[in-house]
Amino acid sequence: MANKTKTIIVSNRLPVKITEQNGAYILRPSEGGLATGLGSVYKDGNNVWIGWPGIEVPPERQKEVTKKLAALNLIPVFLTNEEINLYYEGFSNEILWPVFHYLVTYANFEQTYWDFYQQVNNKFRDVVIQNIKDGDTVWVQDYQLLLLPSLIRAERPGVTIGFFQHIPFPSYEMFRLIPWRDELITGMLGADLLGFHTFDDVRHFLSAASRLSSSKMADNVIIHKNRHVVVEAFPMGIDNEKFEALTQHPKVARYAATFKESQKDLKIILTIDRLDYSKGIIQRLQALELLLQMHPEYIEQVVLYMIVVPSRDTVPQYKELRDRIDQLVGNINSRFRTMNWMPIHYFYKSFAVEFLSALYSSSDICLVTPMRDGMNLVSKEYVASRTNNDGVLILSEMAGASKELNDALIVNPNNIGDIMRAIVEAINMPAEEQYARMSSMRHIVKKFNIHLWVKNFMDKLEEVKQLQQSLLTRHAAQSIKEKIVKAYAAAQDRYIFLDYDGTLVGFQGDIDKAAPDQELYDLLTRLTADPANRVIIISGRRYETLQNWFGHLNLDMIAEHGAWQKQQHEEWKSLPLLTDKWKQELGSILETYTDRTPGSFVEEKSYSLVWHYRKVEKGLGELRASEIITHLRMFIADKGLQMMEGNKVIEFKNVEVNKGKAALNWLHDSNPDFILALGDDHTDEDIFKALPEDAYTIKVGSNISAARYYLRDYKEVREMLKMLALQLEKNQNNTQKAPGSNGKRTGKPSFLKRILGSLNTK
């Protein structure tokens, strides 16, 4: 059991409430939904939950608290009041909270806040590192700990790390306003799996990560520092069984009966919120005021029960909000109340869950209209409590829950008239329609509960780790490289196909700045010095460019993806029967897109046209590329052309022009006993597919390929080629060709037969 791996939950707060009574610390379990859901994780075996215990504990009593918490599988991170004030109240709630909720005017970008945010995240890291070993899993919760995944990763690269954000993630235009945006993104990318409530949040994070890091994107996968990070939506649920069962509790039944008796013949509208400017409380009150003004027939017919849970009301913005609520409630009540009726019953306090359950089960309408909310579980708690399948939920489209509970009346929280009309519709909704809508939503809340949310996240985290492990086996790491070098050393006739851009040199924003450097020249010279080697540069570059760069070396060249070919000591030859008559018509179409896309340009080759967008604003280039592909799909089919997407390029060429065909042509009537091919984009896939299965095919920069292996970048390519080149120096006495062999092994089937054999087995 001691060696068993464990799961560690990490959050700002532990799932307990600690109070001090008569000098003793008393622990009470939290009733929050997250604590309920994660209870199945941290209470199991040797799993633990790490977090701040909720109060400042003096150093001399920290051992005492640690021991009490250990009995509950909890581990404390002790913070001072200053740290809580500057890291939590400061950076988390005065910078991240307003920016992530699109209220940037409330943000206070203080350097001291950032300093303490880093300090506390480092404190959490230290406690996690003390309690973790390789193979363990860490699940970090929420926006207070955005730096923690990468801090843990730096210390323990072998652990599995998940991160879930419980509040919205803003669009890039909002997020970029934070001065420390790069560090926050890097911190989050330390995780293996990043979870958000909605697909909108996923899109926003991917957009920010693509602009603020050098990571590569593929759908919802980010390749960061040679790791695959998956970004996924996991809509959070509630403990629906708990809320269903509560409706049958004797205390709840008494509350509900008293409540209904006091408000009989009235349509009861319920709202429950924490005091916060993101909840849309003011707009909701204005909508009720508009209702009573525009529809006086509802005076003495409806009543609003509004519960606002106290929160941070010493902070100026929150105090101001509370004052505005008090004033607006007072104005509405004084304007519309009668002798026997008051339109709003307002409570600024928190209530026990039994009383809330009575309100949920007794209210005809639940009004949930936040301006921006990650999920909003009040809406789901109301639905779970409607065991008779009646009642109407009015829900803001800005709440994550609206993506699931689409049988609610969905409103724009900024549109007061929209909210008012939804209240009128809810008041008059027939029982049959209420039943249909509520039963559908209850089914969703029941199925996608808190326990499924936990299971889905943990299952996906395990899946991501397995994906990473499977990719590691394909990565041409040292053992694979040694295997290739061993086969290379044993071979007497070798063909080495090398793509150029992205394979032998790094990707450049300016295509004219990617000329070979001296290190590359030296490496190719060493490889071509071995008489057993035939080195072929196979590139999409113009043949004039390749001639200028490599014409002085003893190697073969294939240019423009095979349209032009040159063997050693011979002249350049083009493929026969190629036509370029289509170029003028296609070129004029591409120029219209170039005129609309600053930074793009068209490159003309002998038998192809290339639209480059490597200098275009990120996002705009991808949009234009998608437009071009859609626009020209039929055109290229009619003209017998091929459209190839590459790294920030779209190339149009004759269908006969193909790197795979060119490679096979080079190997025609040859019988090499070692074939190596390296390339980095879509055009190189044709080579990988064309070569026999025993060829060593390597994709550069990606593991999504027909190639057998992959290398991360051109630097790894050069390192491997250096290992091959060293064989000549190491084995000069053994590299002489066997007498009478003419440099070719005997007893092996011809290359053509090997190709046919591999095709028959595929």
Side-chain angles (χ1 to χ4, degrees), residues 82-348:
E82 182 185 33
E83 286 172 331
I84 282 298
N85 184 47
L86 296 171
Y87 135 82
Y88 179 71
E89 298 295 347
F91 194 88
S92 299
N93 288 335
E94 288 193 35
I95 296 178
L96 296 181
W97 182 272
V99 173
F100 284 25
H101 287 86
Y102 291 69
L103 290 158
V104 182
T105 53
Y106 288 168
N108 183 12
F109 300 113
E110 285 281 347
Q111 178 65 39
T112 310
Y113 292 168
W114 169 243
D115 294 340
F116 272 84
Y117 189 78
Q118 291 177 288
Q119 178 178 314
V120 172
N121 272 254
N122 279 314
K123 264 197 171 184
F124 272 83
R125 175 206 57 197
D126 294 343
V127 176
V128 172
I129 296 304
Q130 290 167 14
N131 292 277
I132 202 170
K133 63 180 184 295
D134 286 346
D136 287 349
T137 297
V138 184
W139 188 2
V140 181
Q141 307 288 330
D142 224 2
Y143 64 106
Q144 300 94 350
L145 300 171
L146 296 181
L147 302 180
L148 188 57
S150 69
L151 293 175
I152 298 171
R153 176 75 57 201
E155 297 282 340
R156 290 297 182 100
V159 303
T160 303
I161 303 174
F163 175 87
F164 190 86
Q165 177 148 309
H166 295 267
I167 66 173
F169 194 90
S171 71
Y172 170 67
E173 289 304 318
M174 288 287 168
F175 186 75
R176 71 190 296 202
L177 298 174
I178 300 174
W180 309 279
R181 61 207 182 173
D182 295 348
E183 293 90 335
L184 295 174
I185 286 289
T186 301
M188 296 176 75
L189 288 175
D192 299 299
L193 174 64
L194 288 161
F196 299 91
H197 282 302
T198 70
F199 181 66
D200 282 346
D201 297 324
V202 169
R203 283 192 306 108
H204 291 156
F205 178 81
L206 290 172
S207 175
S210 70
R211 287 166 166 81
L212 298 173
S213 72
S214 57
S215 307
K216 294 182 179 179
M217 304 282 169
D219 296 326
N220 67 329
V221 179
I222 301 172
I223 303 171
H224 178 71
K225 293 185 177 179
N226 304 315
R227 272 189 317 107
H228 281 62
V229 179
V230 175
V231 187
E232 190 68 85
F234 299 92
M236 187 175 176
I238 62 167
D239 185 0
N240 68 296
E241 291 182 354
K242 169 187 171 182
F243 282 91
E244 285 184 9
L246 272 171
T247 61
Q248 306 301 316
H249 193 283
K251 187 183 290 187
V252 173
R254 286 198 304 274
Y255 284 147
T258 305
F259 185 57
K260 285 180 179 177
E261 178 63 28
S262 66
Q263 303 297 332
K264 60 183 177 181
D265 301 326
L266 292 176
K267 286 282 185 180
I268 301 170
I269 305 170
L270 175 67
T271 78
I272 301 175
D273 298 283
R274 185 172 58 84
L275 180 70
D276 195 89
Y277 43 69
S278 67
K279 301 300 182 183
I281 300 171
I282 297 296
Q283 290 78 3
R284 203 176 304 157
L285 288 170
Q286 291 170 338
L288 180 71
E289 184 177 32
L290 185 63
L291 172 76
L292 299 176
Q293 182 179 318
M294 301 291 292
H295 296 275
E297 65 271 22
Y298 292 125
I299 291 176
E300 295 190 339
Q301 299 299 312
V302 300
V303 63
L304 174 67
Y305 270 75
M306 188 171 80
I307 295 174
V308 177
V309 178
S311 171
R312 307 183 70 216
D313 50 14
T314 57
V315 176
Q317 293 98 329
Y318 287 75
K319 184 178 185 302
E320 180 186 339
L321 175 62
R322 183 189 173 185
D323 291 343
R324 287 189 65 196
I325 293 170
D326 290 346
Q327 183 179 12
L328 196 49
V329 169
N331 290 344
I332 294 171
N333 278 340
S334 63
R335 179 179 175 186
F336 294 102
R337 73 181 299 169
T338 65
M339 288 288 291
N340 302 312
W341 172 80
M342 185 166 65
I344 302 172
H345 294 260
Y346 167 44
F347 303 91
Y348 184 70

Side-chain angles (χ1 to χ4, degrees), residues 348-365:
Y348 184 70
K349 61 178 292 188
S350 56
F351 288 96
V353 68
E354 291 84 4
F355 186 77
L356 295 179
S357 176
L359 291 177
Y360 283 143
S361 58
S362 305
S363 301
D364 303 285
I365 300 165

Side-chain angles (χ1 to χ4, degrees), residues 407-452:
D407 280 301
L409 298 182
I410 306 296
V411 297
N412 182 335
N414 296 291
N415 189 332
I416 295 167
D418 196 19
I419 300 173
M420 181 202 74
R421 287 185 290 273
I423 295 173
V424 173
E425 184 180 352
I427 291 170
N428 297 290
M429 185 177 289
E432 297 81 9
E433 184 178 351
Q434 289 185 35
Y435 183 88
R437 288 173 177 266
M438 189 58 70
S439 57
S440 173
M441 290 190 289
R442 279 176 53 74
H443 174 75
I444 291 169
V445 169
K446 184 174 183 177
K447 180 178 180 180
F448 297 98
N449 58 35
I450 184 70
H451 304 294
L452 184 64

Side-chain angles (χ1 to χ4, degrees), residues 598-662:
S600 68
F601 64 95
V602 177
E603 179 189 11
E604 183 175 354
K605 300 178 184 177
S606 304
Y607 298 103
S608 66
L609 288 175
V610 189
W611 189 75
H612 291 264
Y613 59 97
R614 60 181 75 191
K615 291 184 177 180
V616 178
E617 178 189 358
K618 196 159 186 76
L620 177 61
E622 286 74 14
L623 175 64
R624 287 287 184 268
S626 178
E627 290 177 9
I628 289 172
I629 291 167
T630 303
H631 182 182
L632 294 175
R633 187 172 281 119
M634 295 303 294
F635 176 88
I636 63 168
D638 291 343
K639 299 292 182 181
L641 303 174
Q642 185 179 16
M643 178 166 54
M644 299 290 292
E645 292 182 74
N647 198 343
K648 303 291 185 183
V649 298
I650 307 175
E651 183 153 3
F652 302 87
K653 59 188 177 65
N654 292 81
V655 73
E656 298 90 349
V657 177
N658 179 292
K659 279 188 177 182
K661 292 179 182 178

Side-chain angles (χ1 to χ4, degrees), residues 438-470:
M438 189 58 70
S439 57
S440 173
M441 290 190 289
R442 279 176 53 74
H443 174 75
I444 291 169
V445 169
K446 184 174 183 177
K447 180 178 180 180
F448 297 98
N449 58 35
I450 184 70
H451 304 294
L452 184 64
W453 174 76
V454 172
K455 181 180 184 301
N456 283 344
F457 189 93
M458 297 305 287
D459 287 350
K460 186 66 178 181
L461 187 56
E462 177 64 25
E463 181 186 319
V464 170
K465 207 60 186 178
Q466 289 175 0
L467 166 69
Q468 292 176 345
Q469 293 300 324
S470 69

